[in-house]
Amino acid sequence: MKKLRRIIIAGLLVWLPLGITVFIIKILIDLLSRTYLLIPEALRPENLFGVTIPGFGIIMAVIILFGTGLVAANFLGKTLVETWEKFLDKIPLVRSIYAPLKTFAELVLSDQTQSFSKVLLIQYPRKGLYSLCFQTSKDVGEIQEKSGVDVVCVFIPTTPNPTSGYIILIPKDEVIELDMSVEDALKMIISLGVVVPTSDIDLTET
């Protein structure tokens, strides 16, 4: 029975992650395809040309994202986005979901070189215990000037939800910089430490 159980678990370890990945991708594709419904029925390809274009909803979604990005990048667009976000911030339930997700997305997707640029190891919440964190900024202005210490700002995510966490200002000489990529670190955090990135360092070397 134990051998049978191990074989079944081995099979699950192959198919379960694959199945969940396919399921999530299918949900994303279905959501993107729904942008097709934004087009008036009379203007849809099957009514205009008599043919159905596969993936037309996804193409529409990409166009909408590109157009939204163009609008949001200019002054008027930024003003509209800020007004919309202020409106959302007044809705209690929406505010508690939207704000953290937006902040996390900005940190991860930002093209600023300092944001989530490095994976660090620090002793937290006390000496002798180590936590993974991400460097979010090394230029902290007034804080560094008045503390008189060369500090970096780091984000310590919670697990398995890395969108919440703590911001800590820690002396630079107390952090250990890792070669681990941000993506690998997030995998380790989300998996509760089960998925551990491999290291290229040969531990047998002296």
Side-chain angles (χ1 to χ4, degrees):
M1 290 301 295
K2 289 182 178 180
K3 185 176 181 180
L4 178 62
R5 180 173 175 272
R6 285 198 299 268
I7 293 174
I8 292 174
I9 290 176
L12 283 174
L13 291 175
V14 172
W15 286 106
L16 188 60
L18 179 61
I20 292 174
T21 302
V22 171
F23 177 71
I24 292 173
I25 292 175
K26 184 179 183 302
I27 290 177
L28 291 174
I29 291 176
D30 288 343
L31 288 174
L32 291 174
S33 298
R34 289 184 179 275
T35 55
Y36 182 78
L37 301 176
L38 297 174
I39 305 173
E41 190 171 351
L43 299 178
R44 293 175 187 176
E46 63 269 20
N47 294 325
L48 284 177
F49 310 109
V51 294
T52 301
I53 302 177
F56 188 74
I58 296 176
I59 296 173
M60 281 295 303
V62 173
I63 294 174
I64 291 172
L65 287 174
F66 183 75
T68 304
L70 287 178
V71 173
N74 59 54
F75 177 76
L76 178 59
K78 289 180 180 179
T79 303
L80 291 174
V81 171
E82 288 175 359
T83 303
W84 172 248
E85 289 181 345
K86 287 179 181 178
F87 170 73
L88 292 178
D89 194 51
K90 295 179 180 179
I91 306 175
L93 181 59
V94 175
R95 176 179 58 201
S96 61
I97 298 173
Y98 178 81
L101 288 176
K102 184 176 186 298
T103 301
F104 183 75
E106 286 177 343
L107 285 171
V108 176
L109 300 177
S110 174
D111 56 2
Q112 297 178 6
T113 56
Q114 293 184 14
S115 298
F116 272 56
S117 58
K118 296 178 182 177
V119 181
L120 306 174
L121 193 66
I122 63 172
Q123 296 195 59
Y124 179 88
R126 64 169 176 81
K127 295 289 185 181
L129 298 181
Y130 291 88
S131 295
L132 283 177
C133 62
F134 303 99
Q135 177 178 305
T136 57
S137 177
K138 60 181 179 181
D139 182 10
V140 291
E142 181 185 3
I143 298 173
Q144 184 161 315
E145 292 175 6
K146 294 193 174 180
S147 66
V149 181
D150 189 9
V151 298
V152 294
C153 183
V154 301
F155 172 69
I156 304 176
T158 55
T159 182
N161 174 23
T163 61
S164 64
Y166 308 93
I167 292 294
I168 291 182
L169 297 166
I170 183 169
K172 187 180 290 185
D173 58 3
E174 293 186 19
V175 304
I176 302 172
E177 185 175 335
L178 302 179
D179 295 325
M180 186 186 304
S181 68
V182 172
E183 182 182 355
D184 285 341
L186 286 172
K187 287 179 182 178
M188 184 173 179
I189 292 166
I190 294 172
S191 69
L192 307 178
V194 175
V195 178
V196 181
T198 57
S199 175
D200 294 332
I201 300 175
D202 188 356
L203 298 177
T204 61
E205 294 181 356
T206 57

